[in-house]
Amino acid sequence: MSDYGHDLVFGFFVTPSAGDPDRTVGLAVLTEQVGLDLVTFQDHPYQPAFLDTWTLLSFVAARTNRVHLAANVTNLPLRPPAVLARSVASLDLLSDGRITLGLGAGAFWDAIEAMGGRRLTPGQGVRALEEAIEIIRQMWDTETRGGVRVDGEFHRVRGAKRGPAPAHRVPIWLGAYKPRMLQLTGRRADGWLPTLGYLQPGDLTKGNAIIDDAAQEAGRSPRDVRRLLNIAGQFSAVGRGPLHGPTEQWVRELAELALGEGVSAFILAGDDPDDLRRFAGEVAPAVREVVAAERDRGVPEHPRDAAERAPGAAPRDPGTAGRDRGAAVGDGGAAADGRGVAAEPFAAPAARPSRATVTGGAFAVVPTPDDGVRRSDQQVWDESTRPTGPAPDPDRTYTPQEQATGAHLVQIHDGLRAELAQIHDLIEQVAAGEIDAGAARSHINTMTMRQNRWTLGVYCESYCRIVTTHHTIEDQSFFPRLRAQDPRLGPVVDRLEQEHHVIHDVLEGVDRALVAYVGSPDGLADLRAAVDLLTDALLSHLSYEERELVEPLARLGIA
């Protein structure tokens, strides 16, 4: 098992089609709107059917605010490294630190030669790539005095002025498959970015081993290299093969890749907006939840990291580890950039602070109390009829591991509460005409308002899917085990399942109100009323669930 412990990242791999530029950009903007972390484009400058990737990245950066951007991967033979370094740094500054540099040694050499590039053998391509990485990082290193000097076999820079420094320490990801490229990835890169369709069974495990060994030989930790994966598949009602089936199958297979192969970034290739919404709204949150739960149970650390801490292990050479403007960024910590600024390659979702101090002894996970505030005049259930479970034993003590599941449940619920607050805020911004989300051209006020309503609809659709997925996991995993291990909890579990169905109906009411609002500017009051009812039902339900379950989850050892 190889779990490097990185935060999970989910992205979309858009075809940079020149035939319909508006659709290409719209898919990139939608990637941000549905809550994914990353949008990427392939880079084939010799392909006349494609938009130029770096021009497209600049245009999309101006149309978005949060999502990170990368070429997947940059065609180095047609992008001189010193010029590329300035392009990347400039766009990173303009986008407020949202650029990652994906690099490849080159392919399709006939087309590269036709565009004026030099044909290289595989071995030459690897050496040229390593020289390019050295040039790029020197160009970004504005703290070192003097010009950039690399007298390479393929790339020569003799005294070029350094700078500008990017806004953050830009990670470099390599598209690598062969041993020499994988070794280079371990020595010099921040990420490994292959495509699943090009890999044979066992290639991920073999590739990880080569990268890990090369990283250690270079004085780095294997965790310094994020493992990313381009994926493709189809959603269907029944399973027909890998990543071809229902959402539950996708969640299971991606969680296995994360926990078993160390993959921490999944980039879905495709141009279907419905697949994008489903991937963002159903698959990504469920994979995060499953992986977080497994990690809370205590997934073993990576064996090579354990070896580093073993008695008698050779210490890492700080000079070697820091030769590339500080150690490469791993998600467990940040390395200083060229200006001494510590930065993560991704703005990871903020950790939900738990209200529990998970230490051994008395039970310390504090359920969220119901404040009794109700926004709606409607009631979807009678709260006075809710059953209660057995009282906890006041003399029992709990280990940190036992309390972790309850603490994680509170954290998940805190995330749902925070996003619910964002829905209310979005509604007020829509009402005030303050949101356009950059997804549609706002030439006139009517277009702006139409885009505002659609943006709100996408957010609510994504949020509703997250809630539904969370409840499905509980219904199929937690609840049967609780009922089986302590029959006294049966009435509580039955009631919680009933409330899940009620909340589903309330969510359907939100969807109907959204449809009505898109069709009529007079529907905002009904939409507010529907979201108010959802707020009352969901917050009440979450508090009830925490009150009844956080202690039994620990007492019964359920993770």
Side-chain angles (χ1 to χ4, degrees), residues 285-337:
V287 173
R288 284 194 169 104
E289 187 164 340
V290 170
V291 171
E294 289 298 311
R295 287 174 173 172
D296 284 347
R297 291 175 60 185
V299 174
E301 68 178 335
H302 194 278
R304 290 178 176 82
D305 286 321
E308 287 183 359
R309 288 184 286 277
R316 292 175 60 184
D317 179 354
T320 304
R323 65 169 179 261
D324 295 330
R325 297 177 57 231
V329 175
D331 296 283
D337 69 8

Side-chain angles (χ1 to χ4, degrees), residues 54 57 69-76 79 81 84-85 87-89 92 98-104 129 132-133 136-137 140 168-175 189-191 193:
W54 280 96
L57 286 168
L69 304 162
N72 192 349
V73 288
T74 304
N75 189 295
L76 182 63
R79 309 277 187 187
L84 178 62
S87 298
V88 172
D92 196 56
R98 293 189 286 128
I99 304 303
T100 293
L101 177 57
L103 280 177
L129 179 56
I133 293 172
I136 290 167
R137 285 193 165 140
W140 292 341
H168 81 307
R169 188 188 188 284
V170 175
I172 294 178
W173 298 338
L174 300 188
D190 305 302
L193 178 54

Side-chain angles (χ1 to χ4, degrees), residues 225-278:
V225 184
R226 179 188 279 278
R227 317 304 158 108
L228 308 98
L229 193 62
N230 294 317
I231 61 173
Q234 294 184 38
F235 291 101
S236 60
V238 296
R240 294 186 173 90
L243 294 181
H244 189 167
T247 296
E248 295 77 10
Q249 177 184 333
W250 281 65
V251 172
R252 182 180 65 255
E253 292 177 3
L254 296 188
E256 289 172 353
L257 287 168
L259 295 166
E261 301 289 356
V263 178
S264 60
F266 298 97
I267 306 170
L268 177 64
D271 299 308
D272 187 330
D274 290 334
D275 285 349
L276 170 58
R277 293 188 181 99
R278 192 166 184 180

Side-chain angles (χ1 to χ4, degrees), residues 374-398:
R374 299 293 181 265
R375 295 170 175 261
S376 175
D377 293 333
Q378 292 182 256
Q379 291 185 347
V380 293
W381 49 54
D382 183 354
E383 296 178 6
S384 67
T385 62
R386 283 172 167 163
T388 59
D393 180 356
D395 297 325
R396 193 190 191 285
T397 59
Y398 304 82

